[in-house]
Amino acid sequence: MTEAAFIDIDGGQVRLRGDWTIANYTVLASEVARLRALVADTADVAEIDLAALGALDTAGVSLLHQLLGKDRLAMLASDASPLPSERRALLRAVADVIDASTASTAPARGYAFGDIMEHAGIGMLAFYRHVIDIAGFIGITLETGFHVLLRPRRWRITSLAANLERTGLDAVPIVALLTFLIGAVVAFLGATVLAGFGASIFTVDLVAFSFLREFGPMLTAIIVAGRTASAFTAQIGSMRANEEIDAIRVGGLNPVELLVVPRVAALLLALPMLSFIAMISGIVGGMLVCALTLEISPTMFLSVLESHVGLRHFIVGMAKAPIFAFLIAVIGCLEGFRVEGSAQSVGEHTTSSVVQSIFIVIVVDAVAALFCMEMGW
């Protein structure tokens, strides 16, 4: 017979005695750990003597679970057990919690292809839900915008002007500088390639076509997506974290009308103007390179531009700007409303708004390019 303060094992019988409570947990845990080598024998014993068992609480039941195992403890908790009903209920409750926690923490067994398909399915479902959220928010924004448009007294001119300054005027230097440099780079590349064919004059067409149709509006939209969409998300997300949006609703105001519509309207006005500045800056950068490396004077550059480049290319480029502006503003505001209330959530959704905005700008630009090519525009 192996004797311990609370556990006796004698042949095919296990005797439990004393108070199995939190007060004796340290001693009980050490005894259970010392007798773990006998657990296999304990699981096969024919009888468990509980006559000398004193008080019992959840800490004691958890140690019994370790010592006797799930199946033996379930037998003690069954209706056939000699234990009182309240102790059987305690055993069942604690055993269920322990089994549930063990099952939830156990690693799921699978295989590589199934795991890949599972992750793909989860990603597609999340993408589908996000598309539905964006579509719904676009509908709410359009509905609120038309509702406000028909009521001039509800126009928020001050908010519109402030957002127009931040999104438009403050972005002019960075847009102009970057597009000027990119225009110079495009001209350098065109001069390097076309000079080998004796067609350096077509560098003018390359710079003009690329900036009027593609680079002007797309580069501007990408810059605005990184600069303005993140600002919209951070501003609205901080308000949501501070429960200011809830205060707006309690005050009887519409957060979409108060926060989203002025920002969307400001970006709808600012992005076409920034795109025009980007087109001019890119062409000026290309003109400077042509004048310095190809000996194409500004007068000749403008003459070739006027004769070779039609107005429709400018119209196609400018038509993309409002679409980009609307999508960027909606995504930035939506991600702000999805902030959950912590600084980490603000950062995550700000990053998400920038990534989504840049992605949607490139996708829409590619679709528009294919459409215009098929239409012969």
Side-chain angles (χ1 to χ4, degrees):
M1 182 179 70
T2 302
E3 294 188 356
F6 294 93
I7 307 171
D8 288 339
I9 301 178
D10 187 6
Q13 187 181 58
V14 174
R15 297 188 184 94
L16 304 180
R17 61 188 181 183
D19 295 336
W20 287 61
T21 61
I22 188 66
N24 300 320
Y25 186 85
T26 303
V27 178
L28 286 166
S30 64
E31 291 192 10
V32 170
R34 183 169 58 85
L35 296 172
R36 289 296 292 174
L38 301 175
V39 169
D41 296 333
T42 303
D44 295 332
V45 296
E47 184 180 352
I48 298 176
D49 185 3
L50 304 175
L53 183 64
L56 183 66
D57 61 7
T58 55
V61 176
S62 66
L63 291 173
L64 287 177
H65 187 279
Q66 296 178 25
L67 179 65
L68 303 178
K70 179 177 67 173
D71 295 335
R72 179 65 67 176
L73 195 65
M75 292 177 60
L76 293 177
S78 65
D79 294 336
S81 173
L83 291 175
S85 59
E86 64 273 9
R87 289 198 170 182
R88 294 200 305 268
L90 178 63
L91 290 175
R92 283 195 295 267
V94 176
D96 291 342
V97 172
I98 294 174
D99 294 340
S101 63
T102 303
S104 63
T105 56
R109 299 178 63 184
Y111 55 98
F113 181 75
D115 292 342
I116 293 174
M117 296 303 296
E118 179 184 3
H119 284 294
I122 293 173
M124 290 300 296
L125 183 60
F127 177 76
Y128 171 76
R129 290 175 178 172
H130 192 65
V131 170
I132 295 299
D133 291 342
I134 292 178
F137 193 73
I138 287 175
I140 294 173
T141 303
L142 291 175
E143 179 186 5
T144 307
F146 285 123
H147 182 74
V148 173
L149 186 63
L150 299 176
R151 293 169 174 80
R153 290 186 178 181
R154 305 187 69 170
W155 293 359
R156 301 184 181 276
I157 303 300
T158 303
S159 178
L160 176 65
N163 283 289
L164 186 60
E165 179 182 4
R166 286 193 294 266
T167 60
L169 186 61
D170 293 347
V172 168
I174 185 68
V175 170
L177 177 61
L178 289 181
T179 51
F180 175 85
L181 296 176
I182 294 175
V185 170
V186 171
F188 269 121
L189 292 175
T192 302
V193 174
L194 296 175
F197 299 94
S200 299
I201 192 65
F202 290 106
T203 304
V204 178
D205 299 64
L206 174 64
V207 173
F209 280 122
S210 60
F211 273 90
L212 291 178
R213 294 183 67 98
E214 299 295 334
F215 286 168
M218 186 176 70
L219 290 175
T220 304
I222 291 175
I223 294 170
V224 169
R227 184 180 180 277
T228 304
S230 59
F232 287 175
T233 302
Q235 291 164 3
I236 297 177
S238 298
M239 294 179 67
R240 182 169 174 79
N242 295 329
E243 299 183 354
E244 295 178 39
I245 301 233
D246 295 333
I248 290 173
R249 290 194 178 99
V250 171
L253 299 174
N254 186 353
V256 176
E257 178 183 341
L258 189 67
L259 302 175
V260 178
V261 172
R263 286 174 168 80
V264 173
L267 202 58
L268 283 172
L269 295 174
L271 194 56
M273 292 186 286
L274 291 174
S275 297
F276 178 76
I277 293 173
M279 294 174 184
I280 299 302
S281 299
I283 292 174
V284 169
M287 182 189 303
L288 179 62
V289 170
C290 289
L292 295 177
T293 61
L294 301 178
E295 297 182 354
I296 299 176
S297 65
T299 303
M300 182 181 297
F301 187 97
L302 294 175
S303 177
V304 173
L305 177 66
E306 181 182 3
S307 59
H308 289 186
V309 181
L311 181 62
R312 72 178 186 276
H313 303 296
F314 171 76
I315 296 174
V316 168
M318 291 299 294
K320 298 177 184 178
I323 301 174
F324 293 159
F326 182 78
L327 293 174
I328 292 170
V330 165
I331 290 173
C333 294
L334 174 61
E335 289 299 314
F337 278 106
R338 296 177 69 184
V339 170
E340 296 178 355
S342 63
Q344 180 180 357
S345 181
V346 174
E348 291 174 352
H349 286 283
T350 300
T351 303
S352 177
S353 69
V354 174
V355 173
Q356 291 179 48
S357 299
I358 294 175
F359 174 78
I360 199 68
V361 163
I362 296 174
V363 170
V364 171
D365 185 74
V367 172
L370 294 175
F371 176 77
C372 293
M373 181 180 67
E374 292 295 329
M375 297 297 295
W377 296 350

